[in-house]
Amino acid sequence: MNTPADEGNHNLRYAEYVLGVLDADARAEVAHEVRTSGEAATAVALWQRRLQPLAEEITEVAPAPYVWARIHDALQLDAPPRAVPRKRLWDNLALWHWLGLGASAVAVALLLVVALPRRVAAPPPTTAAVAYMASTIKQDNGTTGWTATMDLQHARMVVVPAAPATLAQGRAPELWLIPAGQKPIAVGMISRDQPTTLTLAPALLAQLGPTAALAVSVEPPGGSPTGQPTGPVIAKGAIGAAPEAGGDKVAGTARGQTERTRA
Amino acid sequence: MTVTRVAEYEELNRLLQQAGRSDQQAFAELYRHTSSKLFGVCLRMLRDRGAAEEVLQEVYITVWNRAASFDAAKASAITWLTTLSRNKAIDRLRQHREELPDDPRTLEEAIDEQPSPAAQAQTSQEHRRLTDCLDALEPQQRSSVREAFFTGATYNELATRCQVPLGTMKSWIRRSLMQLRTCLDS
């Protein structure tokens, strides 16, 4: 008996495929046809257009954030997993290298520019200086060993090597904070060849100020075993609250740098 | 279709085309705009969050690798993406059939899953046309088609759920599909 269902059965297989009722083997056959025959591909596309609007009824459900992280990892994408945040100047390594070579006045002038909204031509108000402090940590021979910049708001310090002296094998530089008239407080181990970011504990943060100093001593790689410097102090620097010095020329240079790093 | 929807769909087409040129930003943006929809599709078919997450991950990896083959003249990005998701979810269902949780729902319950009138007002002209054509089918056949579309069940599974012989289910569905084609293409 010829039922209506028997007629055009071939075309109906494409409809059944789109609807999703075929078993694994029959599905694989149609999928293969779709890949190898233009006619099959067109027939399937036509059925998709007919039936797909039903999918509009499906309620949206937000997937967990780690799903995107997994996709991101699996594809080895470069961009950060979440909405790409605008790269902050603070996080820019090139800037820190550049900063490491300059005097702290330059560093401070730059930070003033950073701390302010872009395109502010007027001299920065003094309140902007409060968020950052800087220190040029000079070695005994007068050359700058490191430049340290402290972000008070985020309780962190970035220490950038400029031209630190070579240390003996198996020794490493450790950074100390020395409040006026008090014992040194360990800040952390720093690197001789790349910027180090250190978190500032609240106790440490409270001691930061124009009367305190930073010092670097030579210690075992894991740091001083006693909690106080055990090796020679090789560099020292005063901590400056960001002054208004620096001038337009420096600020101008810094702004140029800002534009480039944001580009 | 509303103006907003058209604009939204065109934006998705653009993002998918850009992803096809290895634009990672566009790909991330496409994910933000479409992942909830596609996750909804996977979850509805697989009924298991972990499995749906795995399939969603597979879907977007495929999107990234195959976006270059997307042709906006043949299908919209959202159709392309939904089709891909349904296919991946159905493939998964066929591979892991034994792991599927039992489905205690009857077809009558499935009918209740039709969108509310308010939700329906949000849907496209194409959707309204399709539901009008579905409404012209016998109730049992209409629910079989809807159940098949949303759950990815095989003829065998549908027949079991509906407690009818396999042959009956096949003829219900096939007859419905032919009627739908006539109705939609008229």
Side-chain angles (χ1 to χ4, degrees), chain B residues 67-139:
Chain B
S69 71
F70 165 68
D71 181 355
K74 285 187 183 159
S76 71
I78 195 66
T79 299
W80 195 83
L81 291 166
T82 312
T83 300
L84 183 60
S85 306
R86 285 190 76 244
N87 281 340
K88 293 265 183 211
I90 294 170
D91 288 345
R92 169 85 177 208
L93 284 172
R94 298 294 181 269
Q95 283 162 16
H96 300 257
R97 190 190 276 172
E98 70 286 352
E99 296 167 26
L100 258 186
D102 280 342
D103 187 355
R105 298 179 317 152
T106 64
L107 286 179
E108 284 69 33
E109 282 174 79
I111 302 172
D112 292 339
E113 292 185 18
Q114 288 191 29
S116 65
Q120 196 124 28
Q122 309 274 313
T123 58
S124 68
Q125 209 181 336
E126 287 80 359
H127 178 263
R128 280 193 292 277
R129 196 172 153 79
L130 177 57
T131 44
D132 284 350
C133 289
L134 279 166
D135 285 345
L137 302 175
E138 294 293 320

Side-chain angles (χ1 to χ4, degrees), chain B residues 1-73:
Chain B
M1 234 193 264
T2 64
V3 175
T4 350
R5 185 184 291 272
V6 169
E8 198 185 306
Y9 283 4
E10 279 172 2
E11 169 72 0
L12 294 182
N13 288 349
R14 192 183 60 78
L15 289 172
L16 184 53
Q17 281 162 342
Q18 284 179 318
R21 293 190 289 269
S22 300
D23 181 336
Q24 299 190 4
Q25 294 271 16
F27 180 62
E29 192 71 12
L30 184 72
Y31 182 87
R32 275 194 287 280
H33 280 93
T34 56
S35 55
S36 297
K37 184 76 207 178
L38 302 190
F39 190 54
V41 170
C42 296
L43 203 55
R44 179 84 178 256
M45 292 187 128
L46 297 163
R47 310 271 185 92
D48 176 273
R49 201 164 254 277
E53 283 171 350
E54 280 175 30
V55 170
L56 189 70
Q57 183 179 339
E58 244 181 83
V59 165
Y60 280 96
I61 288 170
T62 308
V63 168
W64 177 252
N65 292 328
R66 273 207 233 144
S69 71
F70 165 68
D71 181 355

Side-chain angles (χ1 to χ4, degrees), chain A residues 4-5 7 9 11-12 15-24 27 47-64 66-68 70-71 74-79 82-84, chain B residues 24-25 27-28 31-32 36-37 39-41 49 53 56-57 60-61 64 74 82-83 86-87 90-91 94 115 123-124 126-127 130 145-146 148-150 152-155 158 173-174 177-178 181 184-185:
Chain A
E7 296 164 20
N9 248 1
N11 193 283
L12 270 181
E16 290 169 326
Y17 171 78
V18 171
L19 185 61
V21 289
L22 298 180
D23 63 28
R27 255 189 93 68
W47 273 106
Q48 267 153 6
R49 203 179 304 165
R50 291 186 187 115
L51 300 178
Q52 204 67 270
L54 264 186
E56 287 176 34
E57 294 176 24
I58 297 172
T59 315
E60 297 193 1
V61 183
Y66 54 74
V67 177
W68 171 247
R70 285 183 199 159
I71 293 166
L75 294 173
Q76 297 182 312
L77 302 181
D78 310 325
R82 270 290 122 201
V84 190
Chain B
Q24 299 190 4
Q25 294 271 16
F27 180 62
Y31 182 87
R32 275 194 287 280
S36 297
K37 184 76 207 178
F39 190 54
V41 170
R49 201 164 254 277
E53 283 171 350
L56 189 70
Q57 183 179 339
Y60 280 96
I61 288 170
W64 177 252
K74 285 187 183 159
T82 312
T83 300
R86 285 190 76 244
N87 281 340
I90 294 170
D91 288 345
R94 298 294 181 269
T123 58
S124 68
E126 287 80 359
H127 178 263
L130 177 57
V145 169
R146 293 181 61 88
F149 182 88
F150 290 118
T154 60
Y155 275 133
L158 289 170
I173 296 269
R174 286 178 177 157
L177 287 167
M178 284 170 50
R181 181 176 57 192
L184 288 165
D185 293 357

Side-chain angles (χ1 to χ4, degrees), chain A residues 174-179 182-188 201 203-205 207-208 213-215 227-229:
Chain A
E174 183 165 7
L175 183 68
W176 305 86
L177 172 71
I178 311 174
Q182 292 182 45
K183 281 188 179 172
I185 307 169
V187 181
L204 240 156
L205 209 54
Q207 297 289 347
L208 287 181
L214 291 176
Q228 284 296 305

Side-chain angles (χ1 to χ4, degrees), chain A residues 89 95 110 113-114 118 251-263:
Chain A
L89 203 52
L95 169 71
L110 174 66
V113 172
V114 174
R118 290 168 73 188
T253 309
R255 186 168 288 122
Q257 181 84 11
T258 310
E259 298 292 349
R260 271 201 303 283
T261 54
R262 283 182 199 227

